């Protein structure tokens, strides 16, 4: 009888450990995906600002068009959106009311 109880406890402990490990892996994966999305959004934002501030007329126009699209699409999220919106408004000369 003690062997059956010990085996049942071992199975239960293994199941709990597997569940906790799986949950931790999913949470970490979601955090990593969110970080990668934020990094990509900031990369596009920095590229847009670089192009918009370039002395070359062609690059400046591309940067302006990209800034206008980013402003309308609201690509940046959460706390990043505040700074991003300010910079994009300065570039395109619009202000969201």
């Amino acid at each position: 009888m003690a062997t059956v109880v010990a085996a049942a406890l071992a199975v239960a402990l293994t199941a709990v450990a597997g569940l906790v490990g799986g949950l931790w892996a999913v949470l970490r994966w979601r955090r990593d995906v969110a970080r990668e999305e934020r990094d990509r959004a900031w990369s596009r934002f920095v590229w847009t600002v670089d192009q918009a501030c370039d002395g070359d007329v062609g690059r400046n126009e591309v940067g302006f068009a990209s800034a206008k699209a980013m402003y309308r699409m609201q690509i940046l999220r959460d706390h990043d959106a505040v700074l991003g919106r300010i910079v994009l408004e300065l570039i395109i000369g619009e202000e969201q009311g």
Side-chain angles (χ1 to χ4, degrees):
M1 184 67 163
T3 306
V4 173
V5 171
L9 286 175
V11 168
L13 184 60
T14 302
V16 168
L19 184 64
V20 169
L23 182 61
W24 178 80
V26 168
L27 292 175
R28 183 177 171 120
W29 172 76
R30 289 186 66 191
R31 186 183 67 208
D32 291 346
V33 167
R35 185 177 335 143
E36 288 173 6
E37 287 176 357
R38 181 176 184 247
D39 289 347
R40 282 193 300 273
W42 271 109
S43 294
R44 289 189 296 265
F45 178 79
V46 169
W47 181 87
T48 296
V49 172
D50 284 345
Q51 296 300 312
C53 296
D54 197 295
D56 181 55
V57 174
R59 287 185 180 185
N60 185 277
E61 289 177 3
V62 168
F64 178 77
S66 178
K68 202 168 199 175
M70 285 185 83
Y71 182 77
R72 290 187 177 146
M73 291 172 51
Q74 299 177 359
I75 289 176
L76 298 175
R77 302 277 186 242
D78 301 327
H79 303 297
D80 299 336
V82 175
L83 176 64
R85 191 177 314 117
I86 291 169
V87 172
L88 292 174
E89 286 174 356
L90 288 171
I91 291 173
I92 62 175
E94 290 184 21
E95 191 170 326
Q96 189 173 20

